[in-house]
Amino acid sequence: MLRRFFLRQLGGASLLSTVSPLETLAAPTSDRAYWISILQKLSEPLLTALAEDQLKVRMPVESRPGQEADRRKYSYLEALGRLLAGIGPWLALDTDDEKTIRQRYFQLAQRGIQNAVNPQAKDYMNYSEGGQPLVDAAFLAQGLLRCPKLYQSLQPAVQQQLLTAFRKTRTIRPGFSNWLLFSAMIEVFFASIGEEYDKMRLDYALRQHEQWYKGDGIFGDGPDFHWDYYNSYVIQPFMVDILRFLPDKSYDFLRTRMDKIAPRYAAIQERLIASDGSFPVIGRSICYRAGAFHHLANTAFLRQLPSEIAPAQVRSALTAVLHKTLDSPKNYDSKGWLYIGLNGHQPDLGESYISTGSLFLTATALLPLGLPATDAFWANPATDWTSRRIWEKGENLPTDHAVKA
């Protein structure tokens, strides 16, 4: 069934017909193979269409009734930026793990970016109209930071078109919220490649979030606290990556704080995953599905988990989340595109800003695929996570405690 699905998506002769066919079409035999199958489900329709300059033709744009025309202006960049933010580390791997399929998707991503930033292409995307392009240009920048060789592999003319597209987002004023970090992410990408960058946008975002810290691993989204997953969708993964790629030692004080804050929030996230892989349905943007654990996945990928959490238990917990949110055929339309929902097609769970492209944030849960198969995250035996150890096994575990930072 999975093989037939991908052959339909390829539509016969592919733009990249010289690239070897997919390697992992058989039923998954390990957690890593299962994660790769999810990566394929998400990537195949999007990257093949964009590489062939057909994304705007093939990708449906589901949204709230009456919002379709508006969201169509943004949904394509949402899909590309969020997918690459999730699979970037895997594309960057330099090992034999999934080598053939990884080379294929790397080349598809190259061609896709070329079309996305070329004003003459059918799939040229919107970088300045409305506010949303700032968000997803930032996710695209994050994906390129997580896979530097993808940007480096682009032809010089394409690189310049990409930089022009990113500069267009500077006309968008971010909200007084996590949106400040979107401007900062684009600027740190410029800094990482030696381009002139706006230090004020970076400084403002980082220092404002420092002031919004509420304690015990949690930031406010702006001045107020929100019960949602935005500390994971955006705030902490963006802060960690901005500080990681910013070549400026004057922020070492904030790096020191994040060395306490980020692992603590990762520990909280691990405890939020129930024994069956479900998690509390709280707050905005719940249709990002497994993207609710962007931060936990990023922390595992960076090998920065707190000492009391084994990498293999995070693998097992995130595998359960992926099964819970992405296995059911009810999550996808007949051509393999995600529906709005958390566990199936649940359009009423989507806010007015949610559309098909938004849903690709779920790919950020796949970040640990950027670790080689020999890493402890993948190589160690499956391990029960906290909820299973307490609720299913009745283990006597130590109490949980707040962290001061």
Side-chain angles (χ1 to χ4, degrees):
M1 181 64 72
L2 188 58
R3 181 179 179 84
R4 291 198 298 272
F5 166 75
F6 285 124
L7 290 175
R8 287 200 304 272
Q9 298 306 308
L10 290 171
S14 169
L15 180 70
L16 297 178
S17 57
T18 60
V19 178
S20 299
L22 307 183
E23 287 182 348
T24 56
L25 295 175
T29 57
S30 67
D31 284 347
R32 187 175 178 96
Y34 169 69
W35 285 45
I36 291 293
S37 75
I38 294 297
L39 183 148
Q40 290 179 273
K41 278 187 181 182
L42 298 175
S43 302
E44 189 67 27
L46 169 58
L47 292 183
T48 53
L50 184 57
E52 296 172 7
D53 206 14
Q54 291 290 303
L55 184 64
K56 292 181 181 180
V57 173
R58 297 183 194 169
M59 188 180 106
V61 179
E62 182 189 18
S63 63
R64 280 281 183 90
Q67 297 286 332
E68 294 88 352
D70 180 64
R71 300 322 299 177
R72 195 171 291 276
K73 292 184 288 189
Y74 313 123
S75 201
Y76 308 109
L77 182 57
E78 285 183 298
L80 175 63
R82 296 168 189 224
L83 178 68
L84 291 183
I87 71 172
W90 177 75
L91 291 176
L93 264 184
D94 188 20
T95 69
D96 288 335
D97 306 322
E98 307 94 31
K99 186 173 182 179
T100 302
I101 184 176
R102 194 171 66 250
Q103 289 175 337
R104 167 184 160 74
Y105 283 132
F106 189 93
Q107 293 183 37
L108 287 172
Q110 281 179 313
R111 298 206 182 204
I113 291 171
Q114 178 179 319
N115 289 327
V117 300
N118 179 4
Q120 305 307 313
K122 296 175 185 176
D123 282 337
Y124 177 64
M125 296 179 181
N126 167 28
Y127 300 94
S128 58
E129 181 184 351
Q132 187 67 41
L134 173 62
V135 176
D136 297 296
F139 277 114
L140 177 56
Q142 187 177 39
L144 294 172
L145 284 166
R146 288 170 169 172
C147 185
K149 67 180 182 180
L150 184 54
Y151 172 77
Q152 295 161 6
S153 73
L154 300 174
Q155 293 295 320
V158 179
Q159 290 179 345
Q160 289 305 310
Q161 288 175 327
L162 174 68
L163 298 181
T164 296
F166 281 167
R167 291 186 183 107
K168 284 178 178 286
T169 67
R170 286 173 169 167
T171 64
I172 300 171
R173 185 177 71 177
F176 196 55
S177 65
N178 71 85
W179 276 49
L180 296 178
L181 293 168
F182 297 131
S183 293
M185 183 63 75
I186 292 171
E187 298 305 323
V188 83
F189 174 75
F190 285 134
S192 75
I193 59 172
E195 290 286 318
E196 183 178 351
Y197 66 100
D198 188 335
K199 295 180 176 64
M200 183 62 74
R201 291 173 194 258
L202 271 164
D203 188 74
Y204 182 43
L206 291 173
R207 292 185 184 275
Q208 197 62 67
H209 277 81
E210 182 195 14
Q211 293 181 29
W212 290 337
Y213 183 63
K214 303 301 181 185
D216 198 20
I218 304 291
F219 289 88
D221 186 4
D224 299 325
F225 172 76
H226 292 251
W227 256 122
D228 56 31
Y229 292 95
Y230 268 84
N231 265 260
S232 184
Y233 294 140
V234 176
I235 296 170
Q236 298 209 35
F238 270 60
M239 290 189 70
V240 167
D241 281 357
I242 288 167
L243 291 167
R244 184 159 65 102
F245 290 104
L246 180 60
D248 187 335
K249 300 297 184 184
S250 65
Y251 295 99
D252 282 353
F253 75 97
L254 190 50
R255 292 185 180 96
T256 299
R257 290 195 77 194
M258 288 304 297
D259 284 346
K260 294 182 179 180
I261 292 169
R264 171 56 181 160
Y265 185 55
I268 292 170
Q269 284 224 291
E270 190 269 349
R271 287 172 175 265
L272 288 174
I273 300 173
S275 56
D276 65 347
S278 63
F279 51 94
V281 184
I282 296 174
R284 301 165 293 161
S285 306
I286 201 67
C287 292
Y288 295 160
R289 289 182 168 90
F293 298 95
H294 183 181
H295 176 70
L296 179 60
N298 196 41
T299 307
F301 163 62
L302 296 175
R303 301 187 179 101
Q304 294 175 352
L305 291 168
S307 58
E308 69 272 17
I309 296 180
Q313 80 185 67
V314 174
R315 182 189 86 225
S316 297
L318 289 177
T319 299
V321 171
L322 292 171
H323 279 301
K324 196 71 172 178
T325 59
L326 292 169
D327 277 4
S328 171
K330 294 180 181 179
N331 288 298
Y332 308 90
D333 72 10
S334 61
K335 295 184 178 180
W337 298 95
L338 279 171
Y339 280 130
I340 293 174
L342 175 60
N343 179 27
H345 190 199
Q346 300 157 315
D348 286 348
L349 284 178
E351 293 85 355
S352 61
Y353 55 81
I354 294 294
S355 69
T356 303
S358 316
L359 311 178
F360 282 87
L361 192 64
T362 195
T364 58
L366 302 176
L367 287 170
L369 282 172
L371 297 169
T374 54
D375 189 88
F377 183 92
W378 297 109
N380 286 0
T383 305
D384 287 332
W385 56 102
T386 300
S387 288
R388 283 187 60 84
R389 293 174 69 186
I390 290 176
W391 293 108
E392 302 292 328
K393 304 294 179 63
E395 287 190 38
N396 181 26
L397 297 184
T399 57
D400 184 49
H401 292 285
V403 168
K404 291 185 178 181

